[in-house]
Amino acid sequence: MLNMAEGLARLRALAEGSVVSAVAEAFADAGFELAVVGGPVRDALLGREVNDLDFTTNASPDEILRIVTPISSAQWDIGRAFGTIGARVRGEQVEITTYRADSYDGVTRKPTVEFGDTIDGDLVRRDFRVNAMALQVPEIKLVDPTGGVEDLVAGILRTPTDPGVSFGDDPLRMLRAARFSAQLGFEISEDTRDAITRLRETVEIVSPERIQGELVRLMQTDDPVRGIRVLVDTGLVEEFLPEVSALRLEVDEHHHHKDVYEHSLTVLRQAIELEHSRHPGEAPDVPLRIAALLHDIGKPRTRKLEPGGAVTFHHHDVVGSRMARKRLQALRFDGETTDAVTTLIELHLRFFGYAEGTWTDAAVRRYVRDAGDLLERLHILTRADVTTRNRRKAQRLASAYDDIEKRIADLREQEELDAMRPELDGNRIQEILGISPGREVGEAYRFLLDLRLDEGVLGPDVAEQRLRDWWAARG
């Protein structure tokens, strides 16, 4: 719960910090207003860590650039069209924006920008009341025209104006509601939630890149499940990631299977717990978290109701991987993230074959080879995918995974598994077989790699003889 006395003390400390005071003094000397705005003010009041410093001012972008240049080591004006100038002041990155009001024309994907004259007018047009507060500096005055402090105390998210108007100005704010609900642990007011449900289709005018950015920020929170529930319950997710809501499969009275939607949310939560325990203090692993959320999206498409009440989802891993690739590409995710997510989804069932019977060393090597540098993420996803309430089954699976991880570690130590390659390279293959570069060299290379995976290290002499035998057998 917010303690106002402590919160105000933190605001004063924020205002008196070296970076804020340096920027405030420069703007005051130039005769302009300046205030720390939005997230930094909210987080200081809540006692959360303040990371990025955002300012707002009545100075124009050109005037901002002129004022900050003497006190900064670098400046950038990539956001000049939106009134924003960035700078590095005393080692910290800051962004300073002219009072403004963004809105869409209801047709294009880009917001129009109008500069304002007063700080109150700027704040009223922001996304939520808890973000519509400013700390004027250097005089240290809290500006809160919409009741953001009261909403912080109540733990609630509401728009400063009518939610229909606010979301009309920028439909992406509907996604931000889900993200801030997850990030802050706040409830969304009933009228705000109703407006999201009513206006969800308007998000189609927002660019895929902006939607992707907001989805990533949601997945970076400590509890993205809370925000995902908001997206699904309001129907907003249908507009950009319908595969998630499709996980809520209907169950008839004759065929029973686990709730795939709730299972997926549990897997996501457990993956985050494992991520924190294995890599404490590291940045959130967004590709892993997306893979955990989407790992079963192939099930609705592959579900088959069998006689006797059984339900099967054959090849849902492969189908789900293809579906995920198509969706992530539509949201303009980069290739590295897309490849990581889709590979994890495709491989997430592989381990369960190990749990059902002992693999040979060759099978373990292939598992490692196929996972590549995603192996650690695959370990986490596969462990997180165990949500059974059957304690005996859960313990058996955990024990099997402990065993495969130990075998991988042993093999890696023995054979440098991370650098797995044939014992003869392409040049040596050409010398032995007397052939030129081409398809046959590739086939010989793959033969030797399979030999290495199946039988381990043989030594160059044995490998050469086996290669000659293989070549002779080809005629």
Side-chain angles (χ1 to χ4, degrees):
M1 181 176 292
L2 175 64
N3 182 309
M4 276 306 298
E6 294 178 358
L8 292 174
R10 288 189 290 266
L11 285 182
R12 178 171 293 277
L14 175 64
E16 294 175 349
S18 64
V19 176
V20 174
S21 58
V23 178
E25 182 178 346
F27 275 78
D29 290 346
F32 291 102
E33 299 174 4
L34 184 77
V36 185
V37 68
V41 178
R42 177 200 68 222
D43 290 341
L45 284 169
L46 290 173
R48 296 167 59 94
E49 182 179 358
V50 175
N51 293 311
D52 301 318
L53 288 173
D54 296 324
F55 296 87
T56 187
T57 179
N58 59 343
S60 69
D62 289 340
E63 291 166 333
I64 294 172
L65 188 58
R66 175 176 57 81
I67 295 168
V68 300
T69 297
I71 64 169
S72 58
S73 59
Q75 311 83 37
W76 49 93
D77 62 356
I78 192 171
R80 182 193 289 264
F82 298 95
T84 300
I85 300 295
R88 184 169 297 281
V89 179
R90 300 189 179 183
E92 286 194 43
Q93 181 175 318
V94 302
E95 288 191 349
I96 307 167
T97 303
T98 305
Y99 296 156
R100 72 186 189 188
D102 293 345
S103 63
Y104 282 83
D105 61 13
V107 178
T108 63
R109 292 174 178 263
K110 298 186 180 216
T112 60
V113 178
E114 300 174 6
F115 296 135
D117 299 319
T118 67
I119 190 169
D120 281 10
D122 177 275
L123 295 176
V124 166
R125 297 302 297 273
R126 291 181 177 260
D127 52 7
F128 301 102
R129 296 183 187 185
V130 296
N131 297 329
M133 297 179 289
L135 179 65
Q136 287 188 320
V137 288
E139 60 267 39
I140 309 183
K141 176 185 175 183
L142 180 63
V143 183
D144 181 17
T146 67
V149 170
E150 287 82 353
D151 282 4
L152 283 183
V153 173
I156 195 167
L157 288 171
R158 290 183 289 188
T159 55
T161 59
D162 178 273
V165 174
S166 181
F167 296 150
D169 284 344
D170 184 355
L172 189 69
R173 291 172 175 172
M174 295 185 287
L175 272 79
R176 288 191 190 133
R179 191 243 298 183
F180 284 121
S181 177
Q183 181 177 321
L184 303 174
F186 283 10
E187 296 294 331
I188 300 174
S189 69
E190 185 176 352
D191 62 332
T192 302
R193 186 181 285 265
D194 289 345
I196 294 173
T197 301
R198 187 174 70 253
L199 301 172
R200 65 191 190 193
E201 293 181 0
T202 62
V203 80
E204 69 179 9
I205 71 169
V206 181
S207 69
E209 290 83 358
R210 294 185 74 212
I211 292 175
Q212 177 229 109
E214 202 56 50
L215 179 61
V216 167
R217 294 184 186 96
L218 168 60
M219 299 305 289
Q220 289 172 330
T221 66
D222 288 337
D223 184 19
V225 169
R226 183 186 186 98
I228 291 164
R229 290 193 185 279
V230 171
L231 296 176
V232 172
D233 292 346
T234 60
L236 182 58
V237 79
E238 295 279 352
E239 307 305 319
F240 62 92
L241 196 57
E243 293 82 1
V244 173
S245 57
L247 293 171
R248 298 184 296 181
L249 299 176
E250 295 182 3
V251 180
D252 64 35
E253 60 180 326
H254 302 295
H255 295 82
H256 301 284
H257 55 79
K258 71 174 66 175
D259 186 323
V260 182
Y261 171 64
E262 290 297 333
H263 164 75
S264 298
L265 297 185
T266 299
V267 171
L268 172 57
R269 188 179 293 112
Q270 292 183 166
I272 292 173
E273 292 172 356
L274 287 168
E275 178 190 333
H276 288 328
S277 65
R278 290 190 173 211
H279 307 288
E282 293 189 13
D285 190 337
V286 173
L288 169 64
R289 296 179 180 195
I290 295 176
L293 175 63
L294 303 184
H295 76 285
D296 275 347
I297 60 171
K299 281 190 171 180
R301 189 170 293 183
T302 59
R303 182 173 69 159
K304 185 176 181 180
L305 306 180
E306 304 285 358
V311 182
T312 60
F313 304 96
H314 293 309
H315 307 300
H316 77 268
D317 46 347
V318 176
V319 172
S321 177
R322 293 171 182 163
M323 292 170 62
R325 180 173 295 277
K326 183 176 180 180
R327 180 57 58 191
L328 294 182
Q329 289 175 340
L331 289 171
R332 306 292 195 271
F333 274 89
D334 61 276
E336 184 177 356
T337 298
T338 301
D339 289 344
V341 171
T342 54
T343 300
L344 288 170
I345 293 174
E346 184 174 353
L347 295 178
H348 82 274
L349 288 182
R350 183 81 66 85
F351 161 74
F352 292 98
Y354 182 89
E356 293 167 1
T358 303
W359 281 1
T360 64
D361 283 351
V364 175
R365 293 189 190 100
R366 291 180 187 279
Y367 179 72
V368 174
R369 183 188 68 174
D370 290 346
D373 58 6
L374 297 175
L375 183 61
E376 172 63 14
R377 286 167 164 167
L378 185 58
H379 287 334
I380 293 175
L381 176 59
T382 306
R383 285 185 181 272
D385 197 21
V386 178
T387 62
T388 178
R389 295 182 180 180
N390 184 321
R391 293 184 61 184
R392 180 175 297 179
K393 181 179 179 181
Q395 289 172 352
R396 177 175 61 82
L397 290 170
S399 176
Y401 219 97
D402 289 341
D403 184 67
I404 193 175
E405 286 190 322
K406 182 179 183 303
R407 288 182 64 187
I408 289 170
D410 291 343
L411 285 169
R412 178 177 286 121
E413 183 177 348
Q414 295 167 11
E415 304 178 7
E416 297 182 356
L417 198 56
D418 287 333
M420 181 68 71
R421 57 177 58 89
E423 295 180 69
L424 305 175
D425 63 18
N427 291 330
R428 184 68 181 130
I429 290 171
Q430 293 174 59
E431 291 175 4
I432 293 170
L433 301 182
I435 58 177
S436 301
R439 177 177 57 83
E440 291 174 326
V441 176
E443 292 176 355
Y445 188 94
R446 285 190 291 276
F447 164 73
L448 290 171
L449 179 57
D450 286 340
L451 196 64
R452 172 74 188 278
L453 289 167
D454 290 339
E455 301 183 29
V457 177
L458 300 176
D461 293 340
V462 175
E464 178 179 339
Q465 185 58 51
R466 296 288 292 274
L467 175 63
R468 292 183 183 278
D469 293 344
W470 170 82
W471 183 250
R474 287 167 54 95

